[in-house]
Each structure stands twice: as C-alpha cells, then as structure tokens.
Amino acid sequence: MNHKALLRAEGYRLLAAAFRYPQTEELREALLEEQESAKELSQIASTLLPLVDDDLCAEYNRLFAQAVAVSPHERGYTGGDLGPGLGQLAALYEAFGLRCGGVEGEVPDHIGAELEFAAFLCLKEALHTEESSAEAAEAVTIVRSARQTFMQDHLGRWVCAFADRLRERSFHPYFVSLAGLLTEWVKGDFVEQCWQMPTICLLYTSRCV
C-alpha cells in the first residue's frame, strides 16, 4: 500500500475533524487516539489537545456561525468567484460518487468539505496502489489527476489566505494553532507531489509558515 498517501489521508481527515463544530469530549478523545499514530499525525494532535477547553464552542460560533469573523468558504478568498467554478468542484465530488457537502451538510467549498474530499482522494490512491491490475493502475492515474486539479484549482488557492485571516481574528489559541497546522500540512503535500502552489496562495507564503 502507498503509505504516504494513506498518511496524507489521515492527516486531512484529522484536520477536517478539527474544523467541525467542537463536541469537546469527542474532540479530546479523537486527538488522544491520534497521539499514538505516526509522528506527523501525533504532532497535530499533541499541539491541539492541550488547547481544547469549554470556550471553544463560543469561539467557533463567533468565527464561523454568527457574525462570521472568518469565512470558512473558498469563495470568500477568491473575490466571490470560485475560478473554475463551484460547478467544477461539485462535479469533482460527484465523479467519485460523493454528494456535495461534508458530514455536517456543508456546501462544496466549505473548508471541512474540501478537507474531507482531500482525505477521500488520498485514501482512494492508497487503496488502488495496493492492487496490481491494469485497471487499478488506470484508477490511480485518474485519482492523482483529480487530486492535482482539486488541490491547485481549489484547496491550494485559498488555504493560506483563510489560515492567515483565522490567525489574525481568532481569540482562541486552538484556532490560531490549527491555522498554522493546516497550511503546513497542505504546503507539505504540494512539496511532496512536486506541484506548483497557486499564485494566490504564494502571496501569503511569508505569513503561512
């Protein structure tokens, strides 16, 4: 199995969970479990776990649900325009048998939905790589191509701007730390795949470290 792809899948899944509405005890349990995982995942969990407290729900609502201090949607960082379009994003999801939105019913360009989709594509790549048939090799090529399109046209275009705004506007260290972990993970993926980071995100590179 492609262990790097599997690790990427787990990392994206963990980050998606970290951006869900915080059920405090469930979040603590999930992070505790990941402390025993690979070093890269353990680092995320160990950073966030001490920061989970009873103020987290109120800060989540302030940031994302009430006055929306920080937009959790791609369109909020691309001038109201999704570039290749919201339709392309929805089509990418549907091409792999997924309905738009994550487990909480977000619209396609919500940060949680996009992170879940990134995790799904990495997992698909890992599973197909385990097989040795011609069909599996073709499936790997299709998944990798879809993942590159998704990362360069969508998640990679706005993640740095989103994280930068989250760092600036959050009053809670959990979200400040999560912003840094998010950009580090996505940028590491681009480096590992030898992909060019989108220009719109490179503008924030000096602050997304």
Side-chain angles (χ1 to χ4, degrees):
M1 182 176 288
N2 186 332
H3 292 288
K4 286 186 176 180
L6 189 60
L7 177 64
R8 284 286 164 201
E10 285 297 300
Y12 280 117
R13 181 196 60 77
L14 180 57
L15 289 168
F19 274 106
R20 294 191 195 114
Y21 182 82
Q23 303 292 338
T24 308
E25 290 307 315
E26 292 180 11
L27 180 57
R28 283 197 182 102
E29 289 178 9
L31 293 172
L32 275 170
E33 289 179 5
E34 293 297 345
Q35 284 192 311
E36 304 302 321
S37 300
K39 178 181 67 175
E40 295 87 344
L41 302 179
S42 177
Q43 180 182 353
I44 295 174
S46 298
T47 300
L48 295 178
L49 184 58
L51 305 177
V52 177
D53 60 26
D54 294 337
D55 295 327
L56 207 53
C57 293
E59 178 67 347
Y60 181 97
N61 287 329
R62 186 189 71 81
L63 289 170
F64 305 124
Q66 294 172 347
V68 191
V70 178
S71 171
H73 299 105
E74 179 179 338
R75 72 191 79 136
Y77 304 88
T78 53
D81 179 11
L82 277 176
L86 188 60
Q88 185 208 44
L89 186 57
L92 277 170
Y93 291 177
E94 291 168 5
F96 289 91
L98 302 176
R99 290 193 174 275
C100 299
V103 295
E104 296 179 350
E106 303 101 342
V107 293
D109 68 329
H110 188 281
I111 184 64
E114 292 201 14
L115 288 170
E116 287 173 358
F117 187 56
F120 173 83
L121 291 177
C122 290
L123 181 59
K124 291 282 285 185
E125 180 180 343
L127 293 175
H128 286 309
T129 304
E130 191 175 25
E131 304 172 25
S132 57
S133 65
E135 291 81 3
E138 182 180 3
V140 169
T141 300
I142 292 171
V143 170
R144 285 178 176 167
S145 176
R147 195 162 92 80
Q148 183 173 4
T149 296
F150 169 70
M151 295 298 292
Q152 291 185 318
D153 289 353
H154 294 286
L155 185 58
R157 293 181 71 235
W158 66 289
V159 68
C160 290
F162 166 72
D164 190 62
R165 190 171 300 177
L166 185 56
R167 269 193 296 263
E168 288 178 351
R169 300 188 179 180
S170 179
F171 302 147
H172 199 293
Y174 174 91
F175 290 108
V176 174
S177 295
L178 181 55
L181 293 167
L182 172 65
T183 51
E184 182 180 354
W185 190 265
V186 173
K187 287 166 66 179
D189 194 6
F190 270 82
V191 170
E192 187 175 280
Q193 302 302 321
C194 297
W195 294 336
Q196 178 64 46
M197 201 78 181
T199 302
I200 192 172
C201 206
L202 288 174
L203 295 174
Y204 290 82
T205 295
S206 63
R207 289 183 287 180
C208 292
V209 293

